[in-house]
Amino acid sequence: MDNIVVLNDNDGNELEFEYLDLIEHNNETYVVLLPVDEEADEVVILRCEESEDDSDEENYRSVDDEALLNELFEIFKEKNADKFDFPIFTPYYELTDEQRRILWEGNQYFHGINDFFKMLEENQYKIQYRVMLARYRGKTLCPQCHGTRLKPEAGYVRVGGKNISELVDLPITELKQFFDNLKLSEHDSNVARRILVEINSRIRFLIDVGLGYLTLNRLSNSLSGGESQRINLATSLGSSLVGSLYILDEPSIGLHSRDTGRLIYVLRQLQQLGNTVVVVEHDEEIIRTADYIIDIGPNAGRLGGEVVYQGDMKDLKKRSNSHTVRYLLGEEEIPVPAHRRPWNNYIELKGARENNLKGVNVRFPLNVMTVVTGVSGSGKSTLVRDIFYRALKRELDECSDRPGEFSSIGGSLRDLRNVEFVDQNPIGKSSRSNPVTYIKAYDEIRKLWAEQPLAKQMDYTAGFFSFNSEGGRCEECKGDGTITVEMQFMADLVLECESCHGKRFKSDTLEVKFHDKSIYDVLEMTVNQAIEFFNEHGQKKIVKKLLPLQDVGLGYIKLGQSSSTLSGGENQRVKLAFYLSQEKADPTLFIFDEPTTGLHFHDIRKLLDAFDALIRRGHSIVIIEHNMDVIKCADYVIDLGPEGGDKGGNIVAVGTPEEVAACGASYTGQFLKEKLS
């Protein structure tokens, strides 16, 4: 605990105290401490004295004068809450706004937290004050504007009894109700007629795209990718353009099956206005409602790139070479597991109450696949990423951001060694970063080339076959293969390097070959081609490193493909492949945030196989997901809701997919029932 003070007595014994208060009296400083002992029920008051040896340390002496001790104790009591009926034993999160204001600003009986920190800042020459500032100071609401970011004068203007700060704090659904019931005078109605039309239409568009749970003052950087995309969609609807071509890249990202119907309605609205709507999508419901389907395939990478089907849903024919068609017709499917994995050990999180969470208690089983689901805005990311992941990381003695508010975390913590959050952020920021370097397979490839007779003759080490270090790389482009020409008033030009012609290495380095293949030729191979090549020539060590990429469905990407060209879903699967390739079996909890983003039915099946492989190795998996094919394959489901925003943040149902499907109050259960039948 941060408020624990350790002091040494005269014999050198360490004693632990809980810090309670600091009292200034007659130009002397005293601390009020409570011994850390279950039987201790009396506070200890000690005098602070500066060290005699000119060090910054302070000594603490007992107060022998009983009259003074009683006086100090009375001061301490006067500073507490008895005088104004303050509930000192009530947790902070249960205090009313008025009680919190008193706590921060104080009253006639005591100085508030703001005054206390002001005093600390004024006395920073004392070491204990500097320590307290470093330990306890952080971000909080601005005491002047209380988070509104506006001057008090802005709050004087009211419409319908509310100022602008109060309105932007309301969820959009409640904001709609406010404007629906707004009564204005005749003059104000005439002034605001056009403005109200625009306000009401834009609010309606936000609700139509499933964002009614958001508030207008929500920071953009706190929105998910799907939420941002749907806001852009609402903006497009609001513009009322006609005769335009709209191209949407997976608008269903982050959208629960309950809200997909709303999205389809919005897309239909765009089309009915006289626009053309092209959607890149994997969601089955959206595909089925399309007027025209264009399917690219049949597989990925070099085995794809063909139009395998184009036409209407009603024209689908069986035994097609299109995976999409076969899944739509039921010829291929993601099967429901024959049994659910049992579990005994778990991590328990109690009192999670950040954002819209209502103080929920949740158990996350170990050694199984757990899926956290719920409608958009129900609190999934807050629960798993902001509280559970960060709190667990701290429990495992790893540095992490401050977790959201919760009461405690416990359970089988000793059964875990690591926790990993596998997101869709790029695997590397450098243009030289690629999948084969990320999974450490390139090290083995470089060693192989360094062992070739010509390399030994030329005294080339493994470092010569790296495009990141001097030696064998092309120094003209520094191993990039391209030259960037900076243009003052136009976009920069990226040109192929004239020296190496995009091959990234010196011509001497490229002369070193393994079975007629240079290091550049290997980097140009897809993962599938490389596995075939190295298998053929008995390089089992390299094949073993590359196989995890194939296992997660990334056999089509090139070994040397820049990580900046990979999609979010591909980045996530490269990270998954990296963990699959690791030999160590330290029990790890993997957390995935919507891993099916950008994945076809066929790829989801491969992804589920990769998850099974992780669990077989003794790891645990927690997934935030909306995809019903993943949810139906889970061992344990935690369903949040029932709605988004203020109406969410509760545990609606927990258990196996079958148990959740039987819960009538769960939206997830309703759609899950169809998948399990």
Side-chain angles (χ1 to χ4, degrees):
M1 292 174 65
D2 287 341
N3 61 339
I4 297 296
V5 178
V6 180
L7 302 178
N8 293 322
D9 64 11
N10 293 331
D11 298 326
N13 300 315
E14 286 191 348
L15 303 172
E16 287 190 339
F17 298 88
E18 185 182 356
Y19 175 87
L20 297 180
D21 202 1
L22 194 75
I23 298 172
E24 298 280 349
H25 181 64
N26 292 338
N27 296 321
E28 295 278 0
T29 304
Y30 302 88
V31 289
V32 185
L33 306 172
L34 180 69
V36 180
D37 188 342
E38 290 183 358
E39 298 177 5
D41 58 357
E42 290 186 359
V43 298
V44 176
I45 300 177
L46 302 175
R47 181 189 289 110
C48 303
E49 295 180 357
E50 292 185 5
S51 179
E52 295 175 359
D53 57 1
D54 296 330
S55 69
D56 285 335
E57 292 185 1
E58 296 225 352
N59 295 319
Y60 297 88
R61 305 289 182 200
S62 58
V63 180
D64 299 324
D65 186 344
E66 195 165 336
L68 174 61
L69 200 61
N70 289 333
E71 190 178 351
L72 292 168
F73 189 66
E74 286 301 318
I75 294 171
F76 172 66
K77 283 204 303 182
E78 282 182 12
K79 291 173 76 176
N80 71 29
D82 295 343
K83 297 284 185 182
F84 50 96
D85 193 29
F86 191 92
I88 59 172
F89 298 109
T90 302
Y92 181 80
Y93 67 91
E94 290 182 7
L95 297 177
T96 65
D97 288 342
E98 179 59 23
Q99 288 166 342
R100 291 185 184 189
R101 189 193 62 76
I102 291 172
L103 195 59
W104 283 95
E105 297 176 7
N107 58 20
Q108 68 266 37
Y109 298 108
F110 85 116
H111 296 285
I113 296 173
N114 291 333
D115 285 343
F116 175 70
F117 276 94
K118 190 178 178 183
M119 183 273 293
L120 293 183
E121 287 172 350
E122 290 170 353
N123 294 276
Q124 286 195 62
Y125 64 91
K126 294 185 178 181
I127 189 168
Q128 73 266 25
Y129 293 158
R130 294 201 298 274
V131 169
M132 287 195 70
L133 281 171
R135 188 174 286 179
Y136 295 111
R137 189 164 55 180
K139 290 183 179 180
T140 187
L141 282 179
C142 170
Q144 294 297 318
C145 70
H146 302 289
T148 64
R149 295 179 282 183
L150 298 173
K151 288 182 177 179
E153 291 86 341
Y156 299 159
V157 181
R158 291 180 174 269
V159 175
K162 290 188 182 290
N163 60 36
I164 193 163
S165 300
E166 290 169 332
L167 287 179
V168 296
D169 268 338
L170 292 174
I172 290 166
T173 48
E174 291 182 27
L175 193 64
K176 184 179 183 300
Q177 290 174 9
F178 171 81
F179 282 108
D180 286 347
N181 300 323
L182 183 62
K183 299 287 189 288
L184 296 174
S185 65
E186 188 179 347
H187 175 263
D188 289 350
S189 294
N190 291 331
V191 171
R193 185 175 289 118
R194 181 61 194 161
I195 299 168
L196 284 172
V197 169
E198 286 294 320
I199 290 171
N200 285 318
S201 68
R202 289 169 194 272
I203 288 172
R204 191 179 70 253
F205 294 141
L206 285 169
I207 292 170
D208 285 345
V209 294
L211 297 175
Y213 58 90
L214 294 180
T215 59
L216 291 182
N217 64 350
R218 177 84 172 261
L219 292 176
S220 300
N221 60 7
S222 70
L223 298 171
S224 68
E227 287 170 336
S228 300
Q229 194 172 25
R230 279 176 280 151
I231 286 172
N232 291 334
L233 186 57
T235 307
S236 299
L237 276 169
S239 65
S240 300
L241 289 175
V242 177
S244 300
L245 171 65
Y246 287 93
I247 301 173
L248 290 98
D249 190 8
E250 298 207 48
S252 68
I253 292 172
L255 209 59
H256 192 272
S257 300
R258 197 276 309 259
D259 300 315
T260 307
R262 291 181 181 174
L263 177 64
I264 293 167
Y265 171 72
V266 168
L267 297 176
R268 281 288 176 204
Q269 273 190 298
L270 277 175
Q271 175 245 321
Q272 287 163 9
L273 282 171
N275 300 300
T276 302
V277 181
V278 177
V279 184
V280 181
E281 192 54 82
H282 294 105
D283 184 87
E284 185 177 345
E285 196 176 341
I286 294 176
I287 296 171
R288 289 187 182 279
T289 54
D291 297 318
Y292 195 78
I293 300 168
I294 302 170
D295 189 44
I296 310 290
N299 292 304
R302 67 189 178 100
L303 302 174
E306 300 173 24
V307 175
V308 288
Y309 176 78
Q310 53 182 333
D312 205 321
M313 268 295 299
K314 63 179 183 291
D315 298 327
L316 297 179
K317 290 182 175 64
K318 290 193 172 185
R319 291 184 291 280
S320 166
N321 65 336
S322 161
H323 286 294
T324 307
V325 172
R326 290 207 295 270
Y327 272 94
L328 289 172
L329 293 175
E331 291 179 296
E332 289 184 22
E333 61 174 5
I334 297 168
V336 177
H339 66 278
R340 310 294 178 186
R341 297 181 187 89
W343 54 274
N344 293 314
N345 300 332
Y346 56 86
I347 306 295
E348 187 167 23
L349 186 71
K350 290 184 176 180
R353 51 186 177 271
E354 188 75 4
N355 295 336
N356 68 335
L357 293 174
K358 308 292 193 301
V360 296
N361 302 329
V362 193
R363 286 183 176 181
F364 293 91
L366 298 180
N367 307 115
V368 299
M369 186 170 92
T370 303
V371 176
V372 181
T373 185
V375 299
S376 304
S378 57
K380 302 183 297 297
S381 294
T382 302
L383 175 67
V384 178
R385 182 191 63 209
D386 299 349
I387 302 178
F388 179 62
Y389 166 66
R390 293 175 183 176
L392 190 54
K393 206 168 175 68
R394 285 194 173 187
E395 285 293 323
L396 297 172
D397 296 323
E398 294 181 48
C399 186
S400 80
D401 294 333
R402 184 185 68 84
E405 286 187 44
F406 69 102
S407 300
S408 66
I409 186 169
S412 310
L413 292 167
R414 291 182 180 179
D415 294 339
L416 280 180
R417 294 288 180 275
N418 305 298
V419 56
E420 297 286 351
F421 190 89
V422 189
D423 56 20
Q424 297 195 353
N425 293 335
I427 57 175
K429 294 178 181 178
S430 166
S431 58
R432 295 184 178 91
S433 172
N434 57 45
V436 77
T437 56
Y438 189 83
I439 64 166
K440 311 296 183 191
Y442 195 46
D443 296 346
E444 298 297 330
I445 294 170
R446 288 192 291 113
K447 285 177 190 173
L448 177 63
W449 256 252
E451 288 170 1
Q452 300 311 302
L454 183 59
K456 288 181 177 178
Q457 188 182 330
M458 303 289 286
D459 205 24
Y460 287 171
T461 62
F464 266 74
F465 300 96
S466 169
F467 40 75
N468 288 322
S469 55
E470 293 181 10
R473 73 179 184 185
C474 171
E475 289 304 320
E476 187 73 26
C477 61
K478 306 293 183 193
D480 267 342
T482 55
I483 303 285
T484 302
V485 181
E486 293 183 5
M487 308 293 283
Q488 192 134 13
F489 301 109
M490 293 186 294
D492 295 345
L493 287 175
V494 180
L495 304 172
E496 186 183 87
C497 174
E498 292 181 1
S499 181
C500 67
H501 302 291
K503 294 189 175 180
R504 308 171 79 171
F505 294 94
K506 293 175 181 175
S507 55
D508 295 347
T509 312
L510 294 173
E511 285 177 11
V512 180
K513 295 186 178 181
F514 175 76
H515 289 276
D516 291 331
K517 299 289 182 187
S518 68
I519 193 74
Y520 169 75
D521 296 331
V522 170
L523 290 172
E524 284 296 294
M525 290 180 183
T526 64
V527 172
N528 290 336
Q529 287 173 320
I531 289 171
E532 286 173 24
F533 174 74
F534 288 116
N535 247 332
E536 193 179 323
H537 299 103
Q539 300 299 319
K540 291 181 180 178
K541 204 170 182 180
I542 297 172
V543 171
K544 190 179 178 182
K545 289 277 188 182
L546 293 173
L547 273 173
L549 283 172
Q550 193 179 57
D551 292 341
V552 296
L554 292 177
Y556 60 89
I557 61 174
K558 288 183 179 179
L559 296 189
Q561 189 171 334
S562 174
S563 60
S564 60
T565 64
L566 299 176
S567 69
E570 287 171 335
N571 279 312
Q572 198 171 32
R573 281 183 287 161
V574 170
K575 293 174 187 177
L576 178 56
F578 170 71
Y579 294 121
L580 284 170
S581 68
Q582 288 181 316
E583 296 295 328
K584 65 175 184 177
D586 279 350
T588 302
L589 177 71
F590 291 97
I591 299 173
F592 294 86
D593 189 2
E594 300 203 39
T596 60
T597 300
L599 294 196
H600 188 271
F601 311 109
H602 198 59
D603 299 317
I604 292 171
R605 194 166 179 173
K606 287 184 179 177
L607 184 70
L608 289 168
D609 290 340
F611 288 158
D612 285 339
L614 279 176
I615 293 168
R616 284 197 299 273
R617 293 184 186 193
H619 303 305
S620 308
I621 294 176
V622 174
I623 307 169
I624 304 169
E625 190 54 85
H626 292 111
N627 187 288
M628 289 297 157
D629 285 316
V630 173
I631 300 168
K632 76 180 185 186
C633 295
D635 301 304
Y636 190 74
V637 178
I638 301 166
D639 188 39
L640 292 176
E643 299 288 342
D646 289 343
K647 294 177 182 175
N650 293 301
I651 303 292
V652 179
V654 295
T656 62
E658 286 78 11
E659 288 169 339
V660 172
C663 176
S666 168
Y667 287 115
T668 303
Q670 293 170 22
F671 290 94
L672 202 49
K673 197 179 288 182
E674 296 173 20
K675 286 286 182 181
L676 294 171
S677 58

